[in-house]
Amino acid sequence: MNKINEEFERMRQRQDESTADSKSQNAVQVRSQSKKSWKLFAISLAACMILSACSSSATSDQAEQQSAAQTSDSTPAVENQENDKEGAEEQSGTEVQALITPDNFLDTLLNGSKDDIYSQMSPELKEAVSLEEFKSSADSFLQGVTTLDQVVDVQMNNLTERVWKDATGTKGIRAYFSEKQIEGLSIHALEPHEDTDNKYTQTEFQFPMKGEWFVFWGGNDVLSNYHYEHETQRYALDIVRTKDGFSYQDDPTKNENYYAFGEPLYAAADGTVVEIKNDLPDNTPGVMNAEEPAGNFVVIDHGNKEYSITAHLKEGSVAVKKGDKVKQGDLIGELGNSGNSSEAHLHFQVSDGADLFTSRSINIRWADQSQQLTRGNTIQAR
């Protein structure tokens, strides 16, 4: 956990907190290991803050931290770059390298120059991975790959994220783009857990909030849901609220400027409250409390060894006490930014025990099957 805290401190030192424009400054966390003969590397963007679900100290260093900051449409900037490039070519008579964009990245990776891709990586990305490491990893990753299908296209907080999977569903790639460069890149081995993916709760749950929400982490692979790697949180969700491509307005260092902060939370199904915490202060955005990963929380026993865990609640907002019987839709608290959380968001999961870190996560059976609770989707909760 010390390494993570040091990384956040470096991030905060990089940022000019006096203006919202400073959100685009970057910090890097790198994770490298060998998987299926090609190197997995992840260089993750952390603009103003990194969205982190609760993790135990044993798993936090392993979890890929990714920013709650992804982007608004960069097309106008790309067009301007293209116009500048054409003008420069006319004046100099020399060829100018094409800008790598979210739309041409994949074709360039498959059929073009990897040197061109590397040349437009951010300085932090180049510091983390050399050109030769990138080319070697990419070449190994692409062996046997005939097609890559786009599965995520997200724009939030001045970044664009694109994610692709191969036809076998065993390889994936994620890239983050700002207007002028590649800010983050990761190559993943995708390892399904079919034994638990297809087992759902007996209880039928309603979404614990109302209104429109954005699924930041959710799904049955590590590209869609970084929790998926860990049995204790495999089917957990991280949810934020966004407006016009941002999760906050004005000063990003104030909790009250986040659209999710203070929103009411409701019991997702009937049950009995078995654990709560209510006295932890909300973090300053970007500074996490690793000693209390779940922050303020409510745990409800729904029977059938199924326990919902609603985490990162606002300090003092918990509206129930241990032993209370609750009905689906009863108010249980307000969404906050407590615990191992970098900005106001909901962490919600169902487990086979009341302890978040020793129980196994269970795939949730939702009453509304029309809502796709996977990364990048906006849902309308009732």
Side-chain angles (χ1 to χ4, degrees):
M1 298 306 298
N2 290 336
K3 290 193 293 183
I4 288 179
N5 293 335
E6 291 168 2
E7 185 62 35
F8 280 112
E9 184 58 33
R10 286 196 292 272
M11 276 188 270
R12 287 171 58 77
Q13 290 172 357
R14 289 191 185 109
Q15 295 164 354
D16 177 6
E17 294 181 348
S18 64
T19 69
D21 288 342
S22 67
K23 303 187 299 292
S24 61
Q25 294 188 8
N26 303 322
V28 176
Q29 180 184 32
V30 181
R31 181 165 57 107
S32 298
Q33 66 188 70
S34 174
K35 280 192 177 182
K36 292 188 176 179
S37 80
W38 42 276
K39 180 180 180 182
L40 179 149
F41 62 88
I43 302 92
S44 297
L45 182 73
C48 180
M49 42 221 58
I50 287 178
L51 180 63
S52 173
C54 34
S55 301
S56 68
S57 58
T59 63
S60 287
D61 288 341
Q62 300 169 359
E64 177 186 345
Q65 304 292 325
Q66 293 203 300
S67 109
Q70 298 165 37
T71 121
S72 55
D73 192 355
S74 61
T75 302
V78 171
E79 290 175 352
N80 291 337
Q81 283 282 40
E82 291 295 334
N83 292 336
D84 292 343
K85 174 178 72 71
E86 291 171 2
E89 288 176 345
E90 290 174 0
Q91 293 178 14
S92 66
T94 60
E95 183 178 352
V96 178
Q97 179 180 305
L99 181 68
I100 304 298
T101 70
D103 291 331
N104 67 23
F105 171 84
L106 185 60
D107 184 61
T108 305
L109 180 68
L110 293 171
N111 307 308
S113 169
K114 295 181 182 63
D115 295 76
D116 287 352
I117 292 176
Y118 189 83
S119 71
Q120 290 182 37
M121 289 183 184
S122 68
E124 292 87 353
L125 202 49
K126 290 178 180 176
E127 182 180 352
V129 165
S130 71
L131 173 61
E132 291 309 312
E133 286 175 323
F134 166 62
K135 292 169 75 172
S136 174
S137 295
D139 288 342
S140 182
F141 166 80
L142 292 171
Q143 286 182 5
V145 174
T146 56
T147 60
L148 285 163
D149 296 321
Q150 182 177 296
V151 293
V152 173
D153 179 1
V154 170
Q155 297 177 342
M156 195 196 303
N157 297 355
N158 289 330
L159 288 179
T160 296
E161 176 195 8
R162 295 283 177 87
V163 174
W164 301 268
K165 288 183 186 178
D166 77 331
T168 69
T170 61
K171 295 182 178 183
I173 187 165
R174 184 199 311 274
Y176 291 99
F177 304 85
S178 61
E179 289 187 353
K180 295 183 179 180
Q181 61 187 14
I182 300 167
E183 305 288 356
L185 184 63
S186 57
I187 291 176
H188 292 266
L190 303 180
E191 300 176 358
H193 296 278
E194 295 179 357
D195 55 330
T196 54
D197 287 352
N198 298 315
K199 292 182 179 179
Y200 291 85
T201 58
Q202 295 183 52
T203 306
E204 194 172 71
F205 290 88
Q206 292 278 7
F207 194 73
M209 294 181 287
K210 296 179 181 179
E212 188 174 274
W213 294 89
F214 178 84
V215 182
F216 193 82
W217 289 122
N220 290 359
D221 62 66
V222 294
L223 283 171
S224 302
N225 192 356
Y226 96 82
H227 305 97
Y228 188 77
E229 185 175 0
H230 309 290
E231 186 180 34
T232 57
Q233 298 182 50
R234 181 157 293 151
Y235 305 105
L237 297 166
D238 281 351
I239 307 292
V240 299
R241 172 159 278 170
T242 62
K243 293 182 182 180
D244 300 323
F246 284 83
S247 59
Y248 58 89
Q249 60 183 343
D250 301 326
D251 185 354
T253 66
K254 296 181 178 180
N255 281 315
E256 56 267 28
N257 287 341
Y258 286 80
Y259 299 119
F261 190 76
E263 285 291 311
L265 296 165
Y266 304 96
D270 297 355
T272 302
V273 177
V274 293
E275 294 290 345
I276 68 163
K277 184 176 284 289
N278 195 30
D279 59 355
L280 292 176
D282 291 284
N283 305 322
T284 299
V287 180
M288 304 195 302
N289 180 357
E291 298 302 315
E292 296 280 354
N296 301 309
F297 61 84
V298 174
V299 180
I300 301 174
D301 180 357
H302 302 283
N304 304 311
K305 295 185 177 179
E306 296 173 355
Y307 298 78
S308 67
I309 300 167
T310 307
H312 305 316
L313 274 66
K314 182 180 177 182
E315 179 184 14
S317 74
V318 173
V320 293
K321 62 183 184 296
K322 190 173 179 178
D324 282 355
K325 304 290 185 180
V326 295
K327 291 292 186 181
Q328 187 176 74
D330 285 352
L331 180 71
I332 61 172
E334 295 176 9
L335 196 152
N337 186 30
S338 60
N340 195 32
S341 170
S342 54
E343 73 169 78
H345 77 283
L346 169 70
H347 176 102
F348 183 81
Q349 69 179 79
V350 177
S351 298
D352 64 3
D355 190 312
L356 176 64
F357 304 114
T358 60
S359 307
R360 292 173 298 178
S361 178
I362 310 171
N363 217 345
I364 300 170
R365 185 184 307 279
W366 296 102
D368 185 355
Q369 295 294 320
S370 69
Q371 304 282 0
Q372 296 297 314
L373 291 166
T374 56
R375 179 167 173 78
N377 285 333
T378 297
I379 62 169
Q380 188 68 41
R382 299 172 183 173

